[in-house]
């Protein structure tokens, strides 16, 4: 009963409203993201999956997910997109729907029970790492409906850096508190003999960003075009991903394809890909000290192997092929 008053009533109400709606149809498979993501990672992912999905498909960007057409199948680029779409388009409960679960962010508007309720109505829930898969199963999602796909990138687009002879540490992310900005700032200020390159957006919202900008060893590239990413990665030697919480992160794959040595927090799929001390380094963003992270970074410069080989199979083409095979099996 508590769930009904918290969120279920919204879905039952929209079922009644839907009886009076006229719905368009399409004979294509739809990859669905939100308006505003066209130039960011979710939009890029949608376009690449559509390209390599062996079925007539297209990318649909929606503002509020209220008036979706009836299609042959759907891939929602975020779990919240699916929850909103299911509320306003109840027919989705009987369609072939893939939902990508990025990472958990629970609040009073989208609780764990709310997420579990909607995700149980999806055909398949695609998560990005083993830890998240285990959590979804504990939430009541059927094990056979949970898939682990570690996202993907483009090996042809991100060619490897032949030699790592510089001293540049790179980051690639938009500004959020979960991206651990304090650690990034501390690294810049406490490693003056190393250069730092941050590729991202919205970092002007960080209250200590001026300190970073005033450091002679720091450079910021704001809102870069995705086409510029390969050349930006080639300006780095070690790639650092210090987030408290990630589903991926995709930049880790891009950096490793570019043959950069990763130093990453033990979140998302980082522990699934990085072998600590071999092809990179892992640290605990909650418990490890600044000195520990700096030590990992310094050791990363000593690794000589080509780490591209460890992620070469994470391609959009193979992802699209796997997705299509699952779609045919439903």
């Amino acid at each position: 009963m508590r769930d009904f008053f918290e969120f279920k009533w919204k879905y039952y109400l929209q079922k009644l409203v839907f009886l009076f709606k006229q719905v368009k149809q399409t004979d294509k498979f739809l990859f669905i993201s939100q308006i505003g993501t066209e130039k960011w990672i979710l939009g890029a992912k949608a376009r690449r999956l559509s390209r390599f999905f062996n079925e007539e498909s297209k990318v649909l960007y929606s503002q509020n997910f209220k008036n979706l057409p009836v299609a042959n199948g759907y891939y929602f680029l975020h779990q919240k997109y699916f929850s909103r779409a299911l509320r306003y388009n109840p027919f989705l409960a009987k369609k072939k729907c893939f939902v990508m679960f990025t990472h958990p962010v629970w609040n009073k508007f989208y609780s764990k029970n709310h997420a579990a309720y909607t995700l149980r109505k999806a055909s398949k829930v695609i998560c990005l790492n083993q830890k998240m898969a285990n959590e979804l199963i504990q939430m009541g999602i059927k094990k056979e409906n949970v898939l682990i796909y570690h996202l993907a990138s483009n090996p042809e687009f991100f060619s490897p850096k032949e030699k790592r002879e510089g001293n540049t540490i790179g980051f690639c992310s938009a500004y959020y508190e979960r991206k651990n900005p304090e650690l990034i700032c501390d690294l810049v200020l406490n490693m003056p003999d190393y250069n730092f390159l941050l590729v991202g957006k919205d970092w002007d919202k960080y209250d200590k960003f001026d300190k970073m900008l005033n450091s002679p060893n720091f450079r910021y590239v704001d809102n870069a075009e995705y086409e510029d990413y390969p050349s930006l990665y080639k300006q780095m030697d070690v790639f650092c991903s210090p987030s408290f919480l990630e589903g991926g992160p995709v930049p880790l794959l891009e950096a490793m394809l570019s043959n950069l040595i990763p130093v990453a927090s033990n979140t998302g799929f980082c522990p699934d890909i990085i072998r600590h001390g071999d092809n990179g380094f892992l640290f605990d963003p909650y418990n490890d000290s600044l000195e520990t992270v700096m030590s990992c970074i310094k050791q990363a410069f000593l690794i000589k192997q080509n780490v591209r080989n460890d992620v070469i199979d994470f391609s959009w083409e193979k992802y699209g092929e796997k997705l299509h095979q699952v779609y045919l099996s439903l």
Side-chain angles (χ1 to χ4, degrees):
M1 186 61 69
R2 178 183 173 184
D3 286 351
F4 180 83
F5 288 107
E6 180 187 340
F7 58 84
K8 285 185 179 178
W9 68 271
K10 301 175 184 178
Y11 293 86
Y12 286 101
L13 176 62
Q14 288 300 322
K15 283 184 179 180
L16 295 176
V17 174
F18 186 78
L19 294 174
F20 303 96
K21 289 179 64 175
Q22 289 187 333
V23 184
K24 296 181 180 180
Q25 296 196 7
T26 178
D27 57 357
K28 295 182 179 180
F29 185 99
L30 298 180
F31 290 88
I32 298 180
S33 190
Q34 190 169 37
I35 289 176
T37 64
E38 293 90 339
K39 293 186 177 181
W40 202 238
I41 183 61
L42 292 184
K45 176 180 172 65
R47 292 189 296 274
R48 283 161 178 78
L49 282 177
S50 179
R51 175 184 174 189
F52 293 111
F53 189 72
N54 192 23
E55 197 89 19
E56 285 293 320
S57 67
K58 71 175 183 178
V59 178
L60 176 65
Y61 296 99
S62 175
Q63 181 63 48
N64 52 29
F65 309 98
K66 286 187 176 180
N67 298 296
L68 299 184
V70 175
N72 292 340
Y74 305 80
Y75 185 111
F76 290 87
L77 274 292
H78 195 283
Q79 64 269 20
K80 288 186 179 180
Y81 300 168
F82 178 66
S83 291
R84 294 172 193 164
L86 181 66
R87 175 180 170 186
Y88 296 109
N89 308 272
F91 63 84
L92 290 173
K94 297 182 179 180
K95 303 297 289 186
K96 296 181 179 180
C97 292
F98 295 84
V99 180
M100 185 176 78
F101 193 97
T102 58
H103 55 270
V105 180
W106 313 128
N107 54 50
K108 65 179 181 179
F109 302 108
Y110 191 69
S111 66
K112 183 180 289 190
N113 286 342
H114 188 172
Y117 171 75
T118 56
L119 291 176
R120 283 195 290 266
K121 299 181 184 300
S123 305
K124 298 291 180 182
V125 181
I126 298 175
C127 56
L128 312 183
N129 56 76
Q130 185 62 58
K131 182 180 179 181
M132 194 65 251
N134 295 340
E135 184 170 337
L136 289 174
I137 293 168
Q138 290 174 0
M139 287 167 53
I141 313 303
K142 292 182 180 179
K143 184 176 182 179
E144 58 268 27
N145 289 344
V146 177
L147 304 177
I148 302 174
Y149 290 176
H150 293 109
L151 283 178
S153 190
N154 188 339
E156 288 73 38
F157 187 57
F158 293 101
S159 59
K161 184 171 184 174
E162 296 300 328
K163 294 182 179 181
R164 298 185 297 267
E165 297 178 330
N167 69 339
T168 299
I169 300 149
F171 306 90
C172 182
S173 82
Y175 170 71
Y176 299 104
E177 282 299 318
R178 69 178 177 86
K179 298 293 186 177
N180 205 350
E182 289 292 316
L183 178 56
I184 295 177
C185 183
D186 286 343
L187 289 171
V188 171
L189 298 181
N190 287 278
M191 300 182 73
D193 295 333
Y194 292 84
N195 292 318
F196 290 85
L197 172 59
L198 170 59
V199 178
K201 65 176 184 177
D202 297 331
W203 280 87
D204 57 317
K205 298 176 182 177
Y206 177 43
D207 58 3
K208 295 182 181 178
F209 189 55
D210 284 344
K211 283 187 176 181
M212 296 166 64
L213 281 179
N214 291 329
S215 298
N217 62 333
F218 177 78
R219 184 162 64 96
Y220 175 52
V221 178
D222 182 33
N223 223 4
E225 295 292 334
Y226 196 67
E227 289 71 22
D228 295 331
Y229 275 35
S231 63
L232 289 169
Y233 283 125
K234 281 190 170 60
Q235 298 174 42
M236 307 172 188
D237 301 285
V238 166
F239 180 79
C240 187
S241 177
S243 304
F244 291 110
L245 177 66
E246 287 284 358
V250 168
L252 177 75
L253 298 180
E254 298 169 346
M256 292 182 71
L257 283 172
S258 305
N259 195 21
L260 307 182
I261 305 302
V263 176
S265 56
N266 56 358
T267 185
F269 57 49
C270 298
D272 297 350
I273 294 173
I274 297 173
R275 300 183 301 276
H276 184 74
D278 179 16
N279 66 346
F281 293 87
L282 295 165
F283 63 89
D284 185 333
Y286 293 99
N287 298 309
D288 282 340
S289 65
L290 173 63
E291 288 70 24
T292 296
V293 179
M294 290 193 297
S295 176
C296 287
I297 290 174
K298 291 175 183 177
Q299 291 179 74
F301 281 94
L302 303 178
I303 292 179
K304 301 302 181 184
Q305 66 174 288
N306 187 338
V307 297
R308 173 182 170 87
N309 297 328
D310 294 317
V311 293
I312 195 70
D313 287 335
F314 295 104
S315 69
W316 292 116
E317 184 174 2
K318 291 185 178 180
Y319 192 144
E321 290 173 356
K322 288 194 299 182
L323 187 66
H324 186 249
Q325 289 303 312
V326 176
Y327 169 74
L328 294 177
S329 71
L330 295 176

